[in-house]
Amino acid sequence: MRDRKLWIGAFVTVLTGFVALVFQGGWEWVQGKLSDPPGLTAYSSGLIGCNPRYLDAPLAELHKQIKTIDHRGVHIPTADDWPSLPVTLQTSTPQAIVVTGVKVSVLSTRPLPEHGSVVDAECGGGMDERPFDVDLTADPVSVKPSVERTGQGKVIQGHDFPFKVASGDPEQFTFNIRNVAQDARFAITFSWVSDGEPGSTRLDNDGHGYRVMNLPKNLPRYSKGEVGRGKPAS
């Protein structure tokens, strides 16, 4: 009987230690999960801009598609008009994330198309932004804060990274695609740090990349009014 009590006591002691060890490890795991740095969420609705667009269709087809033409086509940067990619950064917790930099990667390039049409866009209004100029012809791709000049000749240099982002303090960035050599697709990756832990967030349009191209030299070019009429102005 005494041996049985000793055996039960030893078993309870071992079991208690095991449970304590498991609980401690589990709590450390829970604490680790709770203390993991919050991720950075990046959202973009896609390229926008008052710039020409390439469409893989002749004028007769474009006339039939006039109601949807403003939401289609490949953006073409020119000296006066260039496409922009607006990106909103935010996080779901009050804990601030420091966004330390951004990298633009060219995913693919190919020759300019030899068939289709170029249509000029109609301009709209502007918005507040953190503007950056992107040069896809540079290697590596150049991403620099935009320089603005006022009517009085004053030069305003845009702010560069880092930026602080929190749930109540999101940031709006705009990447102006000013230079592109061919028909290209690109992605944007943000680097950030939260609670001493580094991370990165990538925008690549669901793996398709964001597509832009240089102005094709030998394709017909129409205004929006000409597309609406279905024939070039005489």
Side-chain angles (χ1 to χ4, degrees):
M1 189 67 169
R2 183 171 177 275
D3 291 341
R4 183 181 180 186
K5 289 182 178 180
L6 289 175
W7 181 86
I8 293 176
F11 176 77
V12 170
T13 301
V14 172
L15 181 61
T16 302
F18 177 76
V19 170
L21 182 63
V22 170
F23 179 80
Q24 181 180 5
W27 175 242
E28 289 177 353
W29 179 85
V30 171
Q31 283 185 314
K33 289 300 180 182
L34 291 176
S35 62
D36 279 350
L40 185 72
T41 300
Y43 170 77
S44 178
S45 58
L47 288 159
I48 60 173
C50 179
N51 50 280
R53 298 189 191 186
Y54 164 78
L55 295 106
D56 186 15
L59 180 60
E61 283 296 318
L62 296 179
H63 176 63
K64 300 175 183 178
Q65 304 166 3
I66 187 64
K67 293 183 178 180
T68 61
I69 201 171
D70 288 337
H71 308 289
R72 300 170 51 237
V74 182
H75 291 261
I76 300 173
T78 66
D80 301 318
D81 303 296
W82 52 85
S84 299
L85 184 69
V87 178
T88 301
L89 299 183
Q90 59 187 120
T91 178
S92 59
T93 69
Q95 181 177 340
I97 287 180
V98 178
V99 184
T100 56
V102 66
K103 178 182 179 181
V104 175
S105 307
V106 176
L107 303 180
S108 66
T109 60
R110 58 183 179 183
L112 296 174
E114 298 180 354
H115 305 280
S117 306
V118 175
V119 179
D120 292 326
E122 295 180 353
C123 296
M127 64 178 180
D128 295 334
E129 57 191 23
R130 298 282 194 182
F132 286 79
D133 294 339
V134 178
D135 185 350
L136 294 181
T137 62
D139 185 16
V141 176
S142 171
V143 184
K144 298 179 179 179
S146 297
V147 177
E148 301 179 4
R149 290 174 173 81
T150 66
Q152 292 74 33
K154 183 180 179 180
V155 176
I156 301 176
Q157 177 72 50
H159 293 286
D160 202 353
F161 290 90
F163 293 93
K164 184 175 70 173
V165 180
S167 58
D169 186 22
E171 283 285 359
Q172 173 79 46
F173 295 85
T174 297
F175 297 92
N176 301 315
I177 314 302
R178 292 183 177 268
N179 295 303
V180 57
Q182 294 181 300
D183 182 346
R185 297 178 185 269
F186 68 93
I188 292 183
T189 302
F190 293 92
S191 302
W192 49 267
V193 174
S194 176
D195 198 24
E197 294 293 331
S200 63
T201 300
R202 177 182 170 95
L203 275 175
D204 59 9
N205 194 23
D206 295 328
H208 302 291
Y210 298 97
R211 185 183 177 192
V212 291
M213 69 171 62
N214 196 1
L215 182 65
K217 303 299 183 183
N218 300 317
L219 297 185
R221 184 171 178 175
Y222 308 107
S223 68
K224 186 76 176 295
E226 291 171 337
V227 173
R229 291 191 296 271
K231 60 181 181 179
S234 56

